[in-house]
């Protein structure tokens, strides 16, 4: 793994950790769409963008 | 109407499957990997269809019905785990191309310089994936019987899908599987999304939908919610699925197939977009069921109930239902094909010295129906909650992950380390699952991965590594990856 891979990898790991921690702490008392539902949706979108940027020059 | 729709689906799929045949399928690489020439679009759709199965649309909706929004989090964590493809995808692809690997376990066997590794990993894959296929079959059984009020029985549904899975694998190997998969995925994403729009609209729009949930079942919008998704349960469910893209050979084998890195990228991105939509679809189905039918006895009936509700036009409901049947088939046929390649190549091929390609392929073709029938028998044991059983199979496959990561990054890894970690931790997972034990509240998968990591490292350190092979393999991958990444970093600077 080179430094670029490590940087992106850590970013993904951080997002995954947020996906575990926030719903079980900050959002336990937010029974609305803008609680855990929104959080997980935004994190998933972030993952899509990250993968897009990370792999953008594959095969060129 | 149900029967007619099923017949139309079968006819269209058969046409697609026959059209997909190209050239002679006489080599293992051709039959099981499509000659490593799959284009990005088909790869993406087929990867999605293989991953997202009846489990997703029946099981995940059921899990949402039962435990609330935690089911969404569970699937999103899995989804995030597919990012592993961005790191391991090119490495698998490069190694497959250079050394001619047909299966992921063949790669492990070669890299750790011991054919027993390939055989052992393959046998354990079968041990866990046959129940997983059975779970898919059971999903179809539930769905058809639930939606037709038993006009089509559980067993009939299971028989139809078993036969179709065998046929689609037979016609042209991975080519017919990939193309019928793609058809199914494309069709399903469109119809399932329409269903979601209709339901949300019928229940008063997006805002109203969530307001109703918040008013009637506020606990369904948080974790741990009604208690189903305690943090430890969540962890136990998500960890095996996070590594799904590496641990499950029917998807990791796909990393060998794209025609180029560009196609591999299309596969990854296509899957992510598809997966995100599909996840939301399943969750909305589950929530809709809990709004409309709050007192179901069996959570797995959530999807059939929604599809046969007043909000969904009957013809659309039937079409989607057949789409779900197709989803189960598209997962099972890929698993059949992968397991058959494992048995023919890594078990049989390694036992017999003179096993030619031709002979291996012959064996592979015999194995396909045998596995299908085993899965069929397993499906007759009516599983209660589809998702949970399915995760148990994932938990079992998880034990090979340390060896897979080690293959690319740790020169000290040894064959003894792989075999010990896979066999011992695999057996521990099986024992925990059968005895329904959760020591210290931790699920079998967590024990499996922890134990297999420790065993892999310790046993490897105590035994002699295949230095020459490890050096050659890892250096090759590293230098090739540098080329890819080198280009990337230059372009980023520019």
């Amino acid at each position: 793994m080179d430094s670029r891979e490590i940087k992106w990898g850590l970013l993904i790991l951080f997002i995954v950790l947020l996906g575990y921690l926030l719903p079980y702490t900050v959002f336990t008392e937010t029974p609305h769409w803008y609680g855990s539902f929104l959080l997980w949706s935004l994190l998933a979108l972030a993952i899509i963008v990250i993968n897009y940027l990370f792999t953008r020059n594959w095969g060129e | 109407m149900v029967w007619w729709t099923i017949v139309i689906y079968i006819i269209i799929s058969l046409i697609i499957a026959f059209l997909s045949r190209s050239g002679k399928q006489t080599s293992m690489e051709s039959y099981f990997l499509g000659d490593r020439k799959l284009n990005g679009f088909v790869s993406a759709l087929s990867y999605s269809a293989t991953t997202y199965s009846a489990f997703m649309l029946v099981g995940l909706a059921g899990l949402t019905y039962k435990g609330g929004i935690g089911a969404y989090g569970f699937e999103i964590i899995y989804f995030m785990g597919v990012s592993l493809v961005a790191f391991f995808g090119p490495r698998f692809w490069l190694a497959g191309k250079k050394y001619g690997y047909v299966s992921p376990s063949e790669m492990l066997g070669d890299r750790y310089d011991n054919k027993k590794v390939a055989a052992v990993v393959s046998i354990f894959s079968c041990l866990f994936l046959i129940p997983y296929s059975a779970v898919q079959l059971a999903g179809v059984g539930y769905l058809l019987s639930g939606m037709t009020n038993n006009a089509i029985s559980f067993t009939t549904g299971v028989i139809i899908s078993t036969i179709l899975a065998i046929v689609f694998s037979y016609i042209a190997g991975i080519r017919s599987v990939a193309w019928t998969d793609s058809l199914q995925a494309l069709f399903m994403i469109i119809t399932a999304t329409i269903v979601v729009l209709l339901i949300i609209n019928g229940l008063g729009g997006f805002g109203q939908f969530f307001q109703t949930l918040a008013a009637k079942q506020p606990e369904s919008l948080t974790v741990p919610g009604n208690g189903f998704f305690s943090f430890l349960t969540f962890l136990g469910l998500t960890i095996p699925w996070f590594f799904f893209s590496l641990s499950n050979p029917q998807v990791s084998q796909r990393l060998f197939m794209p025609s180029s890195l560009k196609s591999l990228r299309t596969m990854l991105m296509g899957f992510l977009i598809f997966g995100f939509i599909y996840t939301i679809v399943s969750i909305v189905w589950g929530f809709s069921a809990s709004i409309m039918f709050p007192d179901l006895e069996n959570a797995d009936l959530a999807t059939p109930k929604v599809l046969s509700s007043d909000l969904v036009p009957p013809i659309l409901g039937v079409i989607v239902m057949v789409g779900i049947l197709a989803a189960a088939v598209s997962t099972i046929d890929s698993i059949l094909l992968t397991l058959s390649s494992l048995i023919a190549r890594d078990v049989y091929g390694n036992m017999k010295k003179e096993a030619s390609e031709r002979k291996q392929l012959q064996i592979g073709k015999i194995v396909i129906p045998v596995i299908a029938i085993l899965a069929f028998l397993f499906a007759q044991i009516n599983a209660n909650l589809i998702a949970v059983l399915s995760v148990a199979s994932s938990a079992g496959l998880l034990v090979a992950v340390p060896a897979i990561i080690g293959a690319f990054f740790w020169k000290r890894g040894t064959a003894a380390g792989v075999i010990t970690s896979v066999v011992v931790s695999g057996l521990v997972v099986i024992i925990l699952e059968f005895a329904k034990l959760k020591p210290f509240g931790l699920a079998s998968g967590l024990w499996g991965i922890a134990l297999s990591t420790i065993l892999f490292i310790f046993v490897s350190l105590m035994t002699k590594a295949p230095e020459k092979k490890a050096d050659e393999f890892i250096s090759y991958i590293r230098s090739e990856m540098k080329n890819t990444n080198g280009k990337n970093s230059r372009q980023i600077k520019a």
Side-chain angles (χ1 to χ4, degrees):
Chain A
M1 285 236 223
D2 62 15
S3 60
R4 179 173 180 270
E5 277 190 302
I6 291 171
K7 266 184 232 158
W8 285 97
L10 287 175
L11 181 61
I12 291 172
L13 198 64
F14 176 68
I15 290 177
V16 173
L17 285 178
L18 290 183
Y20 275 103
L21 293 179
L22 295 183
Y24 280 92
T25 51
V26 182
F27 294 114
T28 49
E29 303 296 326
T30 316
H32 300 285
W33 69 269
Y34 50 82
S36 296
F37 175 77
L38 181 66
L39 173 82
W40 276 320
S41 305
L42 292 177
L43 294 180
L45 288 173
I47 287 288
I48 295 178
V49 173
I50 287 172
N51 275 288
Y52 178 80
L53 295 175
F54 177 62
T55 62
R56 71 180 147 186
N57 295 313
W58 279 11
E60 278 180 13
Chain B
M1 184 161 70
V2 177
W3 281 113
W4 276 113
T5 318
I6 292 178
V7 168
I8 293 171
Y9 150 67
I10 293 175
I11 292 173
I12 295 177
S13 301
L14 285 176
I15 294 173
I16 296 269
F18 275 103
L19 287 178
S20 74
R21 292 200 299 183
S22 75
K24 282 184 186 162
Q25 317 267 333
T26 48
S27 77
M28 292 289 280
E29 214 166 89
S30 172
Y31 193 75
F32 291 110
L33 298 181
D35 290 315
R36 300 179 207 275
K37 281 182 186 157
L38 244 49
N39 74 51
F41 188 66
V42 170
S43 300
L45 287 173
S46 178
Y47 191 100
S48 309
T50 300
T51 303
Y52 292 133
S53 50
F55 157 71
M56 183 80 174
L57 295 154
V58 179
L60 190 62
L63 207 57
T64 311
Y65 184 89
K66 200 169 179 162
I69 194 75
Y72 183 53
F74 158 48
E75 198 57 29
I76 291 296
I77 300 276
Y78 155 69
F79 177 85
M80 294 174 172
V82 179
S83 304
L84 287 166
V85 169
F87 297 84
F88 286 89
R91 291 180 163 86
F92 268 72
W93 186 82
L94 288 165
K97 211 169 154 83
K98 166 140 171 110
Y99 303 104
Y101 301 138
V102 169
S103 75
S105 26
E106 182 185 7
M107 178 176 80
L108 293 182
D110 184 53
R111 159 64 181 81
Y112 290 106
D113 207 14
N114 188 327
K115 288 180 173 171
K116 280 193 199 117
V117 166
V120 167
V121 173
S122 298
I123 290 169
F124 269 81
S125 301
C126 292
L127 209 58
F128 288 109
L129 279 174
I130 295 173
Y132 183 79
S133 312
V135 162
Q136 304 302 329
L137 291 172
V140 173
Y142 273 123
L143 183 82
L144 288 176
S145 63
M147 267 198 74
T148 59
N149 284 325
N150 277 326
I152 298 179
S153 71
F154 179 86
T155 314
T156 313
V158 174
I159 291 175
I160 295 176
S161 358
T162 310
I163 294 174
L164 285 178
I166 297 175
V167 171
F168 291 164
S169 323
Y170 254 94
I171 293 177
I174 189 68
R175 282 195 179 86
S176 47
V177 166
W179 280 94
T180 49
D181 275 10
S182 301
L183 172 76
Q184 179 270 324
L186 209 55
F187 181 75
M188 199 58 196
I189 197 84
I190 296 170
T191 49
T193 308
I194 296 175
V195 168
V196 162
L197 296 177
L198 286 175
I199 294 174
I200 294 215
N201 199 27
L203 293 174
F206 179 83
Q208 186 59 41
F209 182 77
F210 274 93
Q211 267 170 23
T212 312
L213 279 175
K216 284 189 177 167
Q217 314 168 4
E219 72 284 354
S220 72
L221 289 173
T222 57
V223 281
N226 60 13
F228 184 87
F229 280 108
S230 72
F231 188 72
L232 285 184
T233 304
F234 189 73
L235 205 62
L237 281 171
T238 48
I239 296 289
W241 282 85
F242 184 83
F243 291 101
F244 187 94
S245 57
L246 288 184
S247 64
N248 277 56
Q250 77 278 21
V251 288
S252 65
Q253 193 175 36
R254 295 300 173 100
L255 303 175
F256 294 139
M257 298 179 199
S259 55
S260 64
L261 277 179
K262 207 172 170 183
S263 300
L264 183 66
R265 179 177 192 246
T266 310
M267 177 172 106
L268 173 63
M269 293 315 300
F271 170 79
L272 287 176
I273 292 164
F274 188 98
F276 188 50
I277 299 174
Y278 229 41
T279 304
I280 291 183
V281 165
S282 312
I283 300 297
V284 170
W285 287 7
F287 275 142
S288 316
S290 60
I291 293 177
M292 293 189 283
F293 314 99
D295 302 312
L296 291 181
E297 264 173 42
N298 183 344
D300 288 333
L301 291 175
T303 291
K305 283 286 174 198
V306 167
L307 291 179
S308 52
S309 72
D310 300 338
L311 292 179
V312 181
I315 180 72
L316 184 62
V318 169
I319 289 175
V320 171
M321 186 187 67
V322 175
I324 297 178
L325 181 149
V329 173
S330 67
T331 298
I332 299 164
D333 59 11
S334 304
I335 294 179
L336 281 183
L337 212 55
T338 296
L339 292 184
S340 135
S341 75
L342 294 179
I343 292 174
R345 184 101 172 166
D346 302 316
V347 181
Y348 173 80
N350 284 335
M351 274 183 340
K352 291 251 176 177
K353 274 195 180 146
E354 303 287 314
S356 64
E357 284 267 314
R358 214 190 141 105
K359 187 77 193 160
Q360 286 182 19
L361 191 56
Q362 237 171 20
I363 295 286
K365 286 183 179 174
I366 297 171
V367 166
I368 290 174
V370 174
I371 298 175
I373 290 165
L374 275 178
F376 170 77
L377 294 174
F378 228 116
Q380 302 298 314
I381 310 165
N382 266 7
N384 199 8
L385 197 65
I386 290 173
V388 174
L389 235 187
S390 193
V391 167
S393 336
S394 271
L397 291 170
L398 190 60
V399 300
V401 167
I404 296 169
I405 297 177
F408 294 103
F409 296 109
W410 198 44
K411 288 183 183 175
R412 278 293 290 122
T414 71
V418 179
I419 294 174
T420 322
S421 70
V422 169
V423 173
V424 175
S425 337
L427 291 176
V428 166
V429 169
I430 295 175
I431 293 168
L432 291 178
E433 287 295 333
F434 268 93
K436 295 201 163 59
L437 287 177
K438 280 190 175 183
F440 303 103
L442 299 177
S444 64
L446 299 177
W447 289 105
I449 185 77
L451 190 62
S452 72
T453 309
I454 293 169
L455 285 174
F456 176 61
I457 293 174
F458 273 88
V459 176
S460 288
L461 288 176
M462 285 189 301
T463 43
K464 195 177 169 334
E467 282 167 28
K468 205 175 142 205
K469 179 70 203 181
D471 252 341
E472 194 262 331
F473 184 97
I474 292 179
S475 312
Y476 172 73
I477 299 288
R478 187 175 291 159
S479 72
E480 286 295 310
M481 286 302 290
K482 208 174 270 174
N483 287 341
T484 319
N485 285 323
K487 251 185 283 176
N488 286 349
S489 25
R490 267 203 304 280
Q491 292 198 353
I492 284 166
K493 274 175 206 151

Short mmCIF file of all heavy atoms in Angstrom, two decimals, chain B residues 122-156:
data_model
loop_
_atom_site.label_atom_id
_atom_site.label_comp_id
_atom_site.label_asym_id
_atom_site.label_seq_id
_atom_site.Cartn_x
_atom_site.Cartn_y
_atom_site.Cartn_z
N SER B 122 -11.45 -24.34 -0.36
CA SER B 122 -12.59 -24.65 -1.22
C SER B 122 -13.65 -25.46 -0.50
O SER B 122 -14.85 -25.18 -0.61
CB SER B 122 -12.13 -25.45 -2.44
OG SER B 122 -11.23 -24.69 -3.19
N ILE B 123 -13.20 -26.46 0.24
CA ILE B 123 -14.17 -27.32 0.93
C ILE B 123 -14.95 -26.50 1.96
O ILE B 123 -16.17 -26.63 2.07
CB ILE B 123 -13.45 -28.51 1.59
CG1 ILE B 123 -12.95 -29.45 0.48
CG2 ILE B 123 -14.37 -29.26 2.54
CD1 ILE B 123 -12.01 -30.53 0.95
N PHE B 124 -14.25 -25.61 2.67
CA PHE B 124 -14.97 -24.78 3.65
C PHE B 124 -15.93 -23.81 2.97
O PHE B 124 -17.00 -23.52 3.50
CB PHE B 124 -13.99 -24.06 4.58
CG PHE B 124 -13.71 -24.87 5.81
CD1 PHE B 124 -12.79 -25.90 5.79
CD2 PHE B 124 -14.40 -24.64 6.99
CE1 PHE B 124 -12.55 -26.67 6.90
CE2 PHE B 124 -14.18 -25.40 8.12
CZ PHE B 124 -13.25 -26.43 8.07
N SER B 125 -15.56 -23.33 1.79
CA SER B 125 -16.47 -22.45 1.07
C SER B 125 -17.77 -23.18 0.76
O SER B 125 -18.86 -22.63 0.91
CB SER B 125 -15.85 -21.96 -0.24
OG SER B 125 -14.66 -21.28 0.02
N CYS B 126 -17.64 -24.43 0.32
CA CYS B 126 -18.84 -25.21 0.01
C CYS B 126 -19.69 -25.42 1.26
O CYS B 126 -20.92 -25.28 1.23
CB CYS B 126 -18.47 -26.60 -0.52
SG CYS B 126 -17.70 -26.54 -2.12
N LEU B 127 -19.00 -25.71 2.34
CA LEU B 127 -19.69 -25.99 3.59
C LEU B 127 -20.59 -24.82 3.99
O LEU B 127 -21.67 -25.02 4.54
CB LEU B 127 -18.61 -26.20 4.66
CG LEU B 127 -18.94 -27.11 5.81
CD1 LEU B 127 -19.31 -28.48 5.29
CD2 LEU B 127 -17.72 -27.22 6.73
N PHE B 128 -20.15 -23.60 3.70
CA PHE B 128 -20.95 -22.45 4.11
C PHE B 128 -21.86 -21.93 3.00
O PHE B 128 -22.91 -21.38 3.27
CB PHE B 128 -20.04 -21.32 4.60
CG PHE B 128 -19.42 -21.63 5.93
CD1 PHE B 128 -18.07 -21.92 6.03
CD2 PHE B 128 -20.20 -21.69 7.07
CE1 PHE B 128 -17.51 -22.23 7.25
CE2 PHE B 128 -19.64 -21.99 8.30
CZ PHE B 128 -18.29 -22.27 8.38
N LEU B 129 -21.44 -22.11 1.76
CA LEU B 129 -22.24 -21.51 0.69
C LEU B 129 -23.43 -22.35 0.29
O LEU B 129 -24.40 -21.84 -0.27
CB LEU B 129 -21.36 -21.23 -0.54
CG LEU B 129 -20.58 -19.93 -0.40
CD1 LEU B 129 -19.62 -19.76 -1.56
CD2 LEU B 129 -21.51 -18.73 -0.33
N ILE B 130 -23.39 -23.63 0.57
CA ILE B 130 -24.57 -24.44 0.24
C ILE B 130 -25.76 -24.02 1.13
O ILE B 130 -26.85 -23.78 0.61
CB ILE B 130 -24.25 -25.94 0.26
CG1 ILE B 130 -23.23 -26.22 -0.86
CG2 ILE B 130 -25.50 -26.77 0.02
CD1 ILE B 130 -22.67 -27.61 -0.89
N PRO B 131 -25.56 -23.85 2.45
CA PRO B 131 -26.67 -23.31 3.24
C PRO B 131 -27.10 -21.92 2.77
O PRO B 131 -28.29 -21.60 2.77
CB PRO B 131 -26.08 -23.19 4.65
CG PRO B 131 -24.94 -24.11 4.67
CD PRO B 131 -24.42 -24.23 3.28
N TYR B 132 -26.13 -21.13 2.34
CA TYR B 132 -26.47 -19.78 1.87
C TYR B 132 -27.40 -19.86 0.65
O TYR B 132 -28.39 -19.13 0.56
CB TYR B 132 -25.17 -19.04 1.53
CG TYR B 132 -25.34 -17.62 1.09
CD1 TYR B 132 -25.54 -16.61 2.03
CD2 TYR B 132 -25.27 -17.26 -0.25
CE1 TYR B 132 -25.68 -15.30 1.64
CE2 TYR B 132 -25.41 -15.95 -0.65
CZ TYR B 132 -25.61 -14.97 0.30
OH TYR B 132 -25.75 -13.66 -0.10
N SER B 133 -27.08 -20.78 -0.28
CA SER B 133 -27.95 -20.96 -1.44
C SER B 133 -29.32 -21.46 -0.99
O SER B 133 -30.35 -21.05 -1.53
CB SER B 133 -27.38 -21.99 -2.41
OG SER B 133 -26.05 -21.73 -2.67
N ALA B 134 -29.31 -22.33 0.00
CA ALA B 134 -30.57 -22.86 0.50
C ALA B 134 -31.45 -21.74 1.02
O ALA B 134 -32.66 -21.72 0.82
CB ALA B 134 -30.29 -23.87 1.60
N VAL B 135 -30.79 -20.76 1.67
CA VAL B 135 -31.52 -19.62 2.21
C VAL B 135 -32.19 -18.83 1.08
O VAL B 135 -33.33 -18.39 1.19
CB VAL B 135 -30.54 -18.73 3.00
CG1 VAL B 135 -31.09 -17.34 3.20
CG2 VAL B 135 -30.22 -19.38 4.33
N GLN B 136 -31.48 -18.72 -0.04
CA GLN B 136 -32.06 -18.02 -1.19
C GLN B 136 -33.29 -18.77 -1.70
O GLN B 136 -34.31 -18.17 -2.01
CB GLN B 136 -31.05 -17.93 -2.33
CG GLN B 136 -29.75 -17.27 -1.95
CD GLN B 136 -29.96 -15.89 -1.44
OE1 GLN B 136 -30.88 -15.20 -1.86
NE2 GLN B 136 -29.13 -15.46 -0.51
N LEU B 137 -33.14 -20.08 -1.78
CA LEU B 137 -34.25 -20.89 -2.27
C LEU B 137 -35.45 -20.77 -1.34
O LEU B 137 -36.60 -20.61 -1.78
CB LEU B 137 -33.83 -22.36 -2.37
CG LEU B 137 -32.82 -22.70 -3.46
CD1 LEU B 137 -32.34 -24.12 -3.32
CD2 LEU B 137 -33.43 -22.48 -4.83
N ALA B 138 -35.18 -20.82 -0.06
CA ALA B 138 -36.27 -20.69 0.91
C ALA B 138 -36.94 -19.33 0.74
O ALA B 138 -38.17 -19.22 0.85
CB ALA B 138 -35.73 -20.85 2.33
N GLY B 139 -36.14 -18.29 0.44
CA GLY B 139 -36.69 -16.95 0.22
C GLY B 139 -37.75 -16.98 -0.88
O GLY B 139 -38.83 -16.41 -0.75
N VAL B 140 -37.41 -17.65 -1.97
CA VAL B 140 -38.35 -17.74 -3.09
C VAL B 140 -39.60 -18.50 -2.67
O VAL B 140 -40.73 -18.11 -2.99
CB VAL B 140 -37.70 -18.46 -4.29
CG1 VAL B 140 -38.72 -18.70 -5.37
CG2 VAL B 140 -36.56 -17.65 -4.81
N GLY B 141 -39.39 -19.58 -1.93
CA GLY B 141 -40.52 -20.38 -1.47
C GLY B 141 -41.50 -19.55 -0.66
O GLY B 141 -42.70 -19.55 -0.92
N TYR B 142 -40.94 -18.78 0.30
CA TYR B 142 -41.79 -17.92 1.13
C TYR B 142 -42.56 -16.93 0.29
O TYR B 142 -43.76 -16.71 0.48
CB TYR B 142 -40.91 -17.08 2.07
CG TYR B 142 -40.57 -17.77 3.35
CD1 TYR B 142 -39.25 -17.98 3.73
CD2 TYR B 142 -41.58 -18.20 4.21
CE1 TYR B 142 -38.93 -18.61 4.91
CE2 TYR B 142 -41.27 -18.83 5.39
CZ TYR B 142 -39.95 -19.04 5.73
OH TYR B 142 -39.64 -19.66 6.90
N LEU B 143 -41.83 -16.34 -0.62
CA LEU B 143 -42.40 -15.26 -1.41
C LEU B 143 -43.58 -15.76 -2.25
O LEU B 143 -44.67 -15.18 -2.22
CB LEU B 143 -41.31 -14.72 -2.32
CG LEU B 143 -41.73 -13.54 -3.15
CD1 LEU B 143 -41.62 -12.29 -2.30
CD2 LEU B 143 -40.85 -13.43 -4.36
N LEU B 144 -43.32 -16.83 -2.98
CA LEU B 144 -44.38 -17.31 -3.87
C LEU B 144 -45.59 -17.80 -3.08
O LEU B 144 -46.73 -17.49 -3.41
CB LEU B 144 -43.85 -18.44 -4.77
CG LEU B 144 -42.89 -17.99 -5.88
CD1 LEU B 144 -42.37 -19.19 -6.64
CD2 LEU B 144 -43.57 -17.02 -6.83
N SER B 145 -45.33 -18.55 -2.02
CA SER B 145 -46.47 -19.06 -1.27
C SER B 145 -47.18 -17.92 -0.55
O SER B 145 -48.41 -17.89 -0.48
CB SER B 145 -46.04 -20.15 -0.29
OG SER B 145 -45.15 -19.63 0.66
N GLY B 146 -46.41 -16.94 -0.05
CA GLY B 146 -47.01 -15.81 0.68
C GLY B 146 -47.88 -14.97 -0.24
O GLY B 146 -48.98 -14.56 0.11
N MET B 147 -47.40 -14.73 -1.44
CA MET B 147 -48.13 -13.83 -2.33
C MET B 147 -49.32 -14.47 -3.01
O MET B 147 -50.25 -13.80 -3.42
CB MET B 147 -47.19 -13.26 -3.40
CG MET B 147 -46.61 -11.94 -2.96
SD MET B 147 -45.96 -11.04 -4.35
CE MET B 147 -47.42 -10.48 -5.19
N THR B 148 -49.24 -15.78 -3.19
CA THR B 148 -50.34 -16.43 -3.89
C THR B 148 -51.26 -17.17 -2.92
O THR B 148 -52.06 -17.99 -3.34
CB THR B 148 -49.80 -17.45 -4.92
OG1 THR B 148 -49.01 -18.42 -4.20
CG2 THR B 148 -48.93 -16.80 -5.97
N ASN B 149 -51.12 -16.87 -1.63
CA ASN B 149 -51.88 -17.59 -0.61
C ASN B 149 -51.80 -19.09 -0.80
O ASN B 149 -52.80 -19.81 -0.81
CB ASN B 149 -53.36 -17.16 -0.63
CG ASN B 149 -53.52 -15.81 0.00
OD1 ASN B 149 -52.79 -15.49 0.96
ND2 ASN B 149 -54.40 -15.00 -0.54
N ASN B 150 -50.57 -19.55 -1.02
CA ASN B 150 -50.28 -20.98 -1.16
C ASN B 150 -50.79 -21.64 -2.44
O ASN B 150 -50.78 -22.85 -2.55
CB ASN B 150 -50.81 -21.78 0.04
CG ASN B 150 -49.82 -21.72 1.18
OD1 ASN B 150 -48.60 -21.67 0.94
ND2 ASN B 150 -50.31 -21.68 2.40
N ALA B 151 -51.27 -20.82 -3.42
CA ALA B 151 -51.63 -21.41 -4.71
C ALA B 151 -50.39 -22.02 -5.34
O ALA B 151 -50.43 -23.07 -5.97
CB ALA B 151 -52.23 -20.35 -5.63
N ILE B 152 -49.26 -21.32 -5.17
CA ILE B 152 -47.98 -21.94 -5.52
C ILE B 152 -47.32 -22.28 -4.19
O ILE B 152 -47.09 -21.40 -3.37
CB ILE B 152 -47.08 -20.98 -6.31
CG1 ILE B 152 -47.75 -20.60 -7.63
CG2 ILE B 152 -45.72 -21.60 -6.56
CD1 ILE B 152 -46.96 -19.64 -8.46
N SER B 153 -47.03 -23.54 -3.98
CA SER B 153 -46.54 -23.91 -2.65
C SER B 153 -45.07 -23.55 -2.48
O SER B 153 -44.36 -23.27 -3.45
CB SER B 153 -46.73 -25.41 -2.45
OG SER B 153 -45.81 -26.10 -3.26
N PHE B 154 -44.63 -23.55 -1.25
CA PHE B 154 -43.24 -23.32 -0.89
C PHE B 154 -42.33 -24.21 -1.73
O PHE B 154 -41.39 -23.76 -2.39
CB PHE B 154 -43.06 -23.62 0.60
CG PHE B 154 -41.66 -23.45 1.11
CD1 PHE B 154 -41.20 -22.22 1.54
CD2 PHE B 154 -40.81 -24.55 1.19
CE1 PHE B 154 -39.91 -22.06 2.02
CE2 PHE B 154 -39.51 -24.40 1.66
CZ PHE B 154 -39.06 -23.16 2.08
N THR B 155 -42.66 -25.50 -1.77
CA THR B 155 -41.80 -26.46 -2.47
C THR B 155 -41.76 -26.23 -3.97
O THR B 155 -40.70 -26.29 -4.59
CB THR B 155 -42.29 -27.90 -2.20
OG1 THR B 155 -42.55 -28.02 -0.80
CG2 THR B 155 -41.26 -28.92 -2.60
N THR B 156 -42.92 -25.89 -4.57
CA THR B 156 -42.92 -25.62 -6.00
C THR B 156 -41.97 -24.46 -6.32
O THR B 156 -41.19 -24.52 -7.27
CB THR B 156 -44.34 -25.25 -6.49
OG1 THR B 156 -45.24 -26.21 -5.95
CG2 THR B 156 -44.42 -25.24 -7.99
#
